[in-house]
């Protein structure tokens, strides 16, 4: 019997990120978004969707991405290079996609993900909600 297909993964890319002192257009975040869309479009990254977002509010650590999937932890990574990081990011996202919960062992992560982690956010809805009494109890 075939294994069920893994949950799809969405890679959110801050398209408005701008490195300090960088006045080039398009912005570094938009350049990273284009590089990631090109790489995913070229194939070999089934189940990964790349989506540009206006802002991830991590302006002090551009370029920034977030990796999310149903039932998995979400990770936010910053300090990524717009010109050089696409392949590394997709490598890390592939590792993430191969886990049931989104948690890739620290030593298995690409160096850029080890250095650039900004946040780890629990799955929503929570995997196991605690049983809380009603307010009247």
């Amino acid at each position: 019997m075939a294994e069920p297909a893994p949950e799809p993964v969405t890679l959110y890319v801050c398209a408005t990120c701008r490195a300090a002192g960088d006045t080039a257009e398009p912005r570094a975040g938009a350049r990273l978004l284009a590089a990631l869309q090109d790489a995913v479009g070229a194939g070999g990254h089934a189940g990964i969707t790349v989506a540009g977002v206006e802002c991830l509010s991590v302006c002090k650590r551009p370029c920034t991405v977030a990796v999310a999937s149903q039932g998995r932890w979400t990770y936010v990574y910053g300090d990524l290079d717009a010109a050089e990081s696409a392949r590394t990011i997709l490598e890390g996202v592939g590792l993430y996609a191969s886990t049931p919960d989104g948690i890739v062992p620290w030593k298995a992560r690409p160096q850029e993900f080890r250095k650039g982690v900004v946040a780890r956010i629990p799955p929503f809805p929570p995997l196991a909600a605690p049983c809380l009494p009603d307010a009247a109890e």
Side-chain angles (χ1 to χ4, degrees):
M1 177 178 240
E3 287 187 35
E7 288 291 329
V9 173
T10 301
L11 176 63
Y12 297 103
V13 182
C14 180
T16 56
C17 277
R18 182 189 304 267
D22 182 9
T23 59
E25 291 294 335
R27 291 177 178 217
R31 294 192 309 267
L32 179 60
L33 173 62
L36 288 162
Q37 288 172 328
D38 289 347
V40 167
H45 303 286
I48 298 173
T49 299
V50 176
V53 295
E54 278 299 309
C55 184
L56 289 172
S57 290
V58 189
C59 300
K60 292 186 180 191
R61 297 190 61 190
C63 289
T64 304
V65 300
V67 185
S69 181
Q70 181 68 37
R72 291 187 177 116
W73 286 77
T74 295
Y75 282 84
V76 179
Y77 298 103
D79 301 322
L80 300 166
D81 184 277
E84 304 293 326
S85 293
R87 184 174 48 90
T88 301
I89 292 168
L90 291 173
E91 173 190 331
V93 172
L95 293 169
Y96 172 92
S98 69
T99 68
D101 56 7
I103 299 174
V104 176
W106 189 81
K107 287 187 175 190
R109 297 176 194 170
Q111 182 70 21
E112 289 82 349
F113 279 18
R114 284 188 242 159
K115 293 186 323 185
V117 70
V118 173
R120 183 175 94 158
I121 303 159
F124 185 83
L127 296 176
C131 182
L132 300 174
D134 289 340
E137 289 183 42

